């Protein structure tokens, strides 16, 4: 027969569906699946019941077949093994589906007495680090859907790969480099100081290459290529057995598979870099890894497993959609989804429309991998303060888009686009270890949240188009989040953002020991924020509305520049901006307004003060204090106050008061003062200032 469905004949195959006789049940199911495959059936349907599975003989699905559990439960027999699987794919299966049932581990009745972690107990295992000799991990087009998988001692579902190292060995390869290239058109050696080539030949007749038809250059067991490998690309030049040129695979990326052309006898490698690596700093492995591709895990309920919901340890083109993963706890890492072993072998992984909650340590953790898409998911609280989403520094080209984070923690350290997410009562920490992996955070809503930026490389992080909004819940229910921005380490860019609402203490927090100047704020609005603060750096076209004070965070070698900004304070009693221990302050083309008191108080500036083309306005004036006050502690070289307008309502107000006692160059010119005066010490250069409509002598 070709096609059609086969209903499992229990008596024929000596199968029990009453939860007994694991040995014969497993044996009978596998015999039945093998027979049905040979007969051409496309589906095997289980009569509803409970099937006890032998821990030493997992169910082995067939290619081109659907395994329909018919609402049944497959339950592993109680055991003491460190690892087992209820269902396993270890034979390079293709176009195989598991659906419509339950898979249950023995977590709560397992015998842990022999010691060890017992973290290898899986509901479904796709691939293995040590597949059988007559099997393999190159499974393709596997579908797992509409299943409940629970109570496993390890993972609900685990995708594993083999390392597959072949010759030459890493040590031999590391010592084989020389300066020069190889022609990609005829295979001859070339003099090229911008490339290096290996003197070794890679034999295309090795058994693993013959079996799978591909190979590639990969990192070591931790995904590391070596500190002296600075190129992302290489060329492979293939030769025939008579040493004649065959063809070239050019600009191949590490961790990609290279298809071996027909007739190839050996190949040579060229790296796109000029420096020769030291023998200890080149960790490239020539490998034929075996791994899963095109696996679809959909509409599954994965819960109460000890280690993970889903582990991806070397796989490509994986789709995890519409799953509910929760209450994973017991032994580390304790994540709903963990993308880890295999490193950059993990590629094109799509995580969408899932619901993650109540997992012990992580909801999703990406330790390493590239081209990973995390979209339209619901992330909520983890147990014991764990992390909802962690994208570690080794991850590359990760997109996190349109997710909902509710009372969560997020760590972003790799190369990420974090966009259009809705975050509530969530702490986001932006870290990083590599200077070539930018982090972009765009168009997100941070509601009662805290954002920590702590990256060691300048301007690698960009926050663009985000809204930060705080309400009374931030002050009362989520006081542990304390402030909206915590800025550390090297300066970054915050563009086109808005900050609104009061915080527990203040908006921005820094410490001198972890903070560096040079931050860029552009076209950003701060509204109804008591003390948003000014960080040493550059503010361009920013708005501060309905604020109280602007505390300055800086060191004595920093510069603070405000240009084309609008600043409106509602505070009645305090100085708006007090500047101390900074190299330079530049304020130009700004509008600054306050009901009372001093707008700019200058204490110690070690180089220059520039106030140019600003509009300073005091609208109440019950306190007759200077609008701009230059205190005796000023130790800089230059004060330039030029083309500003000072407006008050109190004719006794001092617009500019110079109380400096050192001898900087002080230029006060082309200013207009209404109902205010200039107080000098006689050492200034004063030109063309107009006071109450009259040119000041």
């Amino acid at each position: 027969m070709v096609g059609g469905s086969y209903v499992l004949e229990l008596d024929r195959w000596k199968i029990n569906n009453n939860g007994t006789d694991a040995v014969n049940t497993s044996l009978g199911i596998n015999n039945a699946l093998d027979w049905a495959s040979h007969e051409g059936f496309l589906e095997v349907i289980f009569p509803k019941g409970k099937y006890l599975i032998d821990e030493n003989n997992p169910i082995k699905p067939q290619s081109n077949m659907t395994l329909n559990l018919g609402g049944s439960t497959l339950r592993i027999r109680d055991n003491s093994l460190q690892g087992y699987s209820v269902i396993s794919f270890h034979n390079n299966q293709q176009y195989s589906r598991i659906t419509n049932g339950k898979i249950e581990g023995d977590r709560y009745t397992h015998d842990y007495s022999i010691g060890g972690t017992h973290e290898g107990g899986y509901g479904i295992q796709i691939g293995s680090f040590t597949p059988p000799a007559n099997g393999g991990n190159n499974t393709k087009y596997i579908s797992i859907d509409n299943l409940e998988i629970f109570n496993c001692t390890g993972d609900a579902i685990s995708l594993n790969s083999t390392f597959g190292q072949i010759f030459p060995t890493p040590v031999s390869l590391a010592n084989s480099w020389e300066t020069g290239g190889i022609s990609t058109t005829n295979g001859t050696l070339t003099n090229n100081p911008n490339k290096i080539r290996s003197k070794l030949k890679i034999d295309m007749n090795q058994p693993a290459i013959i079996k799978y038809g591909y190979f590639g250059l990969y990192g070591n067991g931790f995904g590391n290529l070596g500190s002296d490998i600075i190129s992302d690309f290489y060329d492979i030049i293939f030769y025939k057995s008579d040493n004649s040129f065959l063809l070239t695979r050019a600009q191949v990326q590490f961790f990609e598979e290279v298809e071996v052309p027909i007739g190839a006898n050996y190949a040579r490698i060229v790296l796109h870099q000029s420096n020769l690596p030291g023998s200890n700093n080149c960790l490239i492995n020539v490998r034929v890894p075996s791994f899963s591709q095109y696996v679809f895990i959909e509409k599954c309920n994965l819960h109460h497993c000890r280690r993970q919901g889903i582990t991806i340890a070397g796989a490509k083109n994986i789709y995890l959609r519409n799953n509910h993963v929760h209450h994973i706890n017991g032994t580390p890492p304790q994540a709903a989804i963990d993308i880890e072993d295999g490193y950059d072998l993990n590629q094109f992984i799509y995580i969408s429309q899932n619901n993650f909650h109540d997992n012990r340590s992580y909801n999703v953790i990406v330790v390493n991998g590239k081209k990973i898409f995390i979209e339209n998911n619901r992330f909520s609280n983890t147990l014991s303060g764990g992390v909802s989403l962690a994208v570690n520094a080794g991850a590359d080209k990760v997109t996190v888009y349109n997710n909902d984070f509710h009372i969560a923690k997020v760590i972003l350290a790799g190369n990420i686009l974090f966009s259009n997410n809705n975050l509530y009562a969530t702490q986001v920490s932006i870290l990083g270890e590599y200077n070539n992996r930018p982090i972009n955070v765009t168009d997100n809503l941070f509601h009662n949240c805290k954002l920590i930026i702590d990256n060691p490389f300048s301007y690698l992080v960009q926050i663009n188009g985000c809204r930060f909004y705080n309400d009374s819940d931030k002050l009362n229910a989520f006081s542990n989040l304390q402030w909206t921005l915590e800025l550390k380490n090297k300066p970054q860019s915050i563009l086109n953002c808005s900050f609104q609402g009061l915080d527990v203490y203040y908006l921005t927090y820094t410490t001198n020991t972890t903070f560096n100047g040079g931050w860029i704020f552009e076209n950003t609005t701060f509204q109804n924020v008591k003390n948003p603060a000014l960080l040493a750096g550059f503010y361009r076209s920013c708005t501060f509305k309905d604020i109280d004070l602007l505390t300055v965070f800086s060191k004595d070698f920093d510069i603070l520049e405000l240009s084309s900004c609008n600043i409106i304070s509602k505070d009645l009693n305090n100085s708006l901006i007090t500047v101390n221990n900074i190299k330079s302050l530049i304020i130009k083309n700004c509008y600054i307004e306050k009901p009372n008191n001093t707008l700019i108080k200058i204490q110690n500036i070690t180089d220059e003060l520039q106030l140019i083309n600003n509009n300073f306005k005091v609208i109440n004036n019950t306190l007759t204090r200077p609008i701009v006050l230059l205190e005796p502690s000023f130790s800089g070289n230059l004060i330039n106050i030029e083309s500003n307008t000072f407006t008050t309502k109190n004719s006794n107000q001092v617009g500019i008061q110079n109380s400096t006692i050192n001898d900087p160059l002080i230029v006060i010119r082309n200013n207009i003062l209404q109902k205010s005066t200039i107080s000098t010490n006689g050492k200034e250069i004063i030109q063309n200032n107009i006071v109450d409509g009259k040119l000041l002598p």
Side-chain angles (χ1 to χ4, degrees):
M1 178 178 180
V2 177
S5 299
Y6 170 64
V7 178
L8 199 61
E9 299 170 275
L10 303 183
D11 292 338
R12 176 181 177 181
W13 303 102
K14 298 180 181 180
I15 297 170
N16 288 282
N17 68 342
N18 60 2
T20 63
D21 197 2
V23 172
N24 285 319
T25 297
S26 289
L27 181 63
I29 291 173
N30 284 326
N31 287 338
L33 296 179
D34 185 61
W35 172 85
S37 175
H38 283 90
E39 291 296 311
F41 286 103
L42 298 180
E43 180 181 37
V44 172
I45 302 173
F46 281 50
K48 190 169 184 179
K50 187 171 186 177
Y51 298 81
L52 192 65
I53 304 303
D54 179 2
E55 68 276 17
N56 297 302
N57 188 13
I59 304 307
K60 301 170 184 176
Q62 300 291 317
S63 293
N64 305 298
M65 180 184 288
T66 293
L67 194 61
N68 187 340
L69 300 184
S72 298
T73 298
L74 304 187
R75 207 277 191 189
I76 198 75
R77 180 171 60 180
D78 292 349
N79 63 86
S80 61
L81 298 180
Q82 293 282 348
Y84 60 76
S85 56
V86 180
I87 296 176
S88 69
F89 290 84
H90 291 166
N91 292 292
N92 299 317
Q93 290 98 325
Q94 296 189 25
Y95 300 101
S96 183
R97 179 188 180 200
I98 314 292
T99 187
N100 190 23
K102 298 182 180 181
I103 298 174
E104 183 179 359
D106 68 331
R107 170 181 183 163
Y108 295 105
T109 51
H110 188 83
D111 180 5
Y112 299 94
S113 63
I114 64 172
T117 65
H118 295 261
E119 63 183 287
Y122 306 134
I124 298 177
Q125 185 181 30
I126 304 173
S128 169
F129 295 125
T130 55
N134 61 344
N137 292 339
N138 280 20
T139 57
K140 293 183 180 180
Y141 303 104
I142 306 300
S143 295
I144 299 169
D145 64 89
N146 293 285
L147 296 178
E148 180 182 3
I149 308 177
F150 58 104
N151 291 351
C152 298
T153 57
D155 308 344
I157 302 171
S158 185
L159 288 78
N160 301 304
S161 59
T162 58
F163 195 76
Q165 181 178 303
I166 60 173
F167 293 99
T169 65
V171 172
S172 297
L173 188 63
N175 288 284
S176 71
W177 301 104
E178 64 181 6
T179 299
I182 300 176
S183 170
T184 58
T185 57
N186 61 26
T188 59
L189 304 185
T190 63
N191 295 320
N192 190 333
N194 298 316
K195 293 183 179 180
I196 61 174
R197 61 186 176 231
S198 171
K199 292 176 280 188
L200 299 179
K201 298 177 180 179
I202 303 175
D203 183 4
M204 295 294 105
N205 298 301
Q206 298 183 65
I209 294 179
I210 293 174
K211 180 177 180 179
Y212 290 114
Y214 64 81
F215 75 104
L217 302 187
Y218 303 81
N220 65 3
F222 297 97
N224 191 355
L225 295 168
S227 59
D228 284 349
I229 304 304
I230 60 175
S231 171
D232 289 330
F233 297 93
Y234 61 93
D235 298 333
I236 292 283
I237 297 89
F238 292 96
Y239 299 85
K240 301 176 185 178
S241 58
D242 62 1
N243 297 316
S244 63
F245 171 73
L246 180 59
L247 60 80
T248 297
R249 309 279 190 203
Q251 296 177 333
V252 180
Q253 202 161 15
F254 289 104
F255 290 91
E256 300 283 354
E257 289 67 59
V258 180
E259 182 181 354
V260 177
I262 296 174
N265 181 261
Y266 66 91
R268 295 189 64 177
I269 307 167
V270 174
L271 298 189
H272 290 241
Q273 64 179 61
S274 59
N275 64 299
L276 289 169
S279 59
N280 294 324
N281 299 323
C282 175
L283 305 177
I284 296 173
N285 281 247
V286 184
R287 294 166 48 189
V288 182
S290 61
F291 55 92
S292 300
Q293 293 194 68
Y294 302 102
V295 176
F296 301 81
I297 302 173
E298 303 176 281
K299 300 178 183 177
C300 290
N301 181 13
L302 314 178
H303 62 94
H304 289 93
C305 295
R306 290 177 66 245
R307 192 178 77 155
Q308 323 271 43
I310 301 171
T311 292
I312 299 176
K316 295 187 179 183
N317 300 291
I318 308 300
Y319 299 82
L320 314 177
R321 302 185 294 214
N322 294 293
N323 300 293
H324 183 197
V325 192
H326 55 103
H327 293 94
I328 304 298
N329 68 87
T331 190
Q334 304 173 110
I337 297 175
D338 181 10
I339 304 172
E340 187 164 349
D341 291 338
Y343 292 81
D344 274 0
L345 192 64
N346 297 311
Q347 294 182 27
F348 293 103
I349 298 169
Y350 301 85
I351 303 171
S352 64
Q353 301 182 67
N354 303 284
N355 184 9
F356 305 113
H357 65 89
D358 291 295
N359 301 296
R360 170 65 64 179
S361 297
Y362 303 95
N363 284 326
V364 174
I365 176 171
V366 183
V367 176
N368 218 310
K370 60 183 179 181
K371 299 170 186 172
I372 297 169
F373 304 87
I374 303 170
E375 302 177 348
N376 299 302
N377 301 283
R378 165 79 169 177
F379 293 85
S380 54
N381 61 298
T382 52
L383 303 177
S384 302
V387 179
S388 284
L389 172 64
V391 181
N392 288 10
D396 193 19
K397 297 180 177 64
V398 179
T399 299
V400 182
Y401 177 81
N402 203 35
N403 299 279
D404 182 67
F405 294 90
H406 182 79
I407 312 180
K409 285 184 180 179
V410 176
I411 295 176
L412 307 177
N415 171 213
I416 308 159
L417 172 61
F418 188 85
S419 177
N420 288 89
N421 299 287
N422 192 325
L423 303 97
Y424 183 82
T426 292
Q427 176 176 298
V428 179
S429 298
I430 300 179
L431 311 174
E433 295 180 15
Y434 303 108
N435 63 3
N436 63 342
R437 296 198 168 177
I439 299 173
N440 291 282
V441 178
T442 66
D443 299 311
N444 303 285
L445 172 61
F446 293 85
H447 186 185
N448 293 330
C449 293
K450 178 179 181 179
L451 175 63
I452 301 171
I453 306 177
D454 186 7
N455 192 286
F457 303 102
S458 298
Y459 309 119
L460 208 62
V461 177
Q462 187 176 100
I463 315 297
N464 196 340
C466 295
R467 184 185 181 195
F468 298 80
Y469 177 75
N470 297 327
D471 59 26
S472 60
D473 283 337
K474 179 71 176 292
L475 305 179
N476 300 316
F478 304 112
S479 59
N480 60 305
L481 297 176
Q482 296 176 331
W483 39 73
T484 302
L485 285 176
E486 182 172 333
L487 305 181
K488 303 178 179 180
N489 223 321
K490 297 297 185 180
Q492 312 299 335
S493 301
I494 299 177
L495 315 174
N496 306 305
C497 293
S498 67
F499 296 84
Q500 186 174 359
L502 300 179
D503 216 322
V504 179
Y505 294 120
Y506 29 77
L507 181 80
T508 307
Y509 172 78
T510 71
T511 63
N512 280 340
T513 57
T514 60
F515 170 78
N516 290 272
W519 291 76
I520 295 175
F521 288 80
E522 189 171 296
N523 195 33
T524 292
T525 298
F526 303 86
Q527 184 170 1
N528 191 28
V529 178
K530 190 173 183 179
N531 185 357
L534 290 174
L535 310 179
F538 307 90
Y539 289 78
R540 299 162 183 154
S541 301
C542 294
T543 297
F544 300 82
K545 186 177 181 181
D546 298 330
I547 65 168
D548 283 355
L549 310 178
L550 285 172
T551 302
V552 176
F553 290 104
S554 64
K555 298 177 182 177
D556 56 10
F557 49 78
D558 286 330
I559 297 173
L560 174 59
E561 179 178 316
L562 288 79
S563 62
S564 302
C565 295
N566 292 319
I567 304 173
I568 301 175
S569 169
K570 58 185 179 181
D571 175 75
L572 297 175
N573 301 311
N574 302 285
S575 299
L576 175 60
I577 301 173
T578 300
V579 183
N580 189 25
N581 293 325
I582 192 170
K583 179 181 179 182
S584 299
L585 173 65
I586 301 169
I587 303 178
K588 56 184 180 181
N589 303 313
C590 294
Y591 177 86
I592 303 178
E593 175 187 302
K594 195 175 185 296
N596 265 325
N597 217 315
T598 298
L599 300 186
I600 311 292
K601 181 188 289 187
I602 304 301
Q603 295 180 336
N604 185 24
I605 293 180
T606 59
D607 187 12
E608 65 174 358
L609 167 67
Q610 300 265 6
L611 303 179
I612 302 172
N613 200 35
N614 302 290
N615 189 346
F616 299 108
K617 193 169 187 178
V618 178
I619 60 174
N620 188 326
N621 296 91
T622 58
L623 298 174
T624 57
R625 295 174 181 170
I627 298 174
V628 173
L629 174 60
L630 311 177
E631 293 199 336
S633 55
F634 182 88
S635 62
N637 303 305
L638 171 66
I639 296 174
N640 181 29
I641 303 176
E642 182 176 354
S643 301
N644 303 283
T645 299
F646 298 81
T647 304
T648 73
K649 287 188 177 182
N650 190 328
S651 59
N652 294 321
Q653 192 93 8
V654 175
I656 304 169
Q657 179 171 320
N658 177 22
S659 300
T660 60
I661 58 175
N662 296 312
D663 293 317
L665 172 61
I666 303 176
V667 179
I668 304 174
R669 62 184 176 188
N670 299 327
N671 299 285
I672 298 174
L673 298 92
Q674 294 179 284
K675 295 188 178 180
S676 57
T677 61
I678 301 175
S679 175
T680 65
N681 62 14
K683 297 181 180 180
E684 305 86 355
I685 297 174
I686 298 178
Q687 295 177 339
N688 299 323
N689 297 287
I690 298 174
V691 177
D692 291 332
K694 296 180 181 180
L695 184 65
L696 189 69

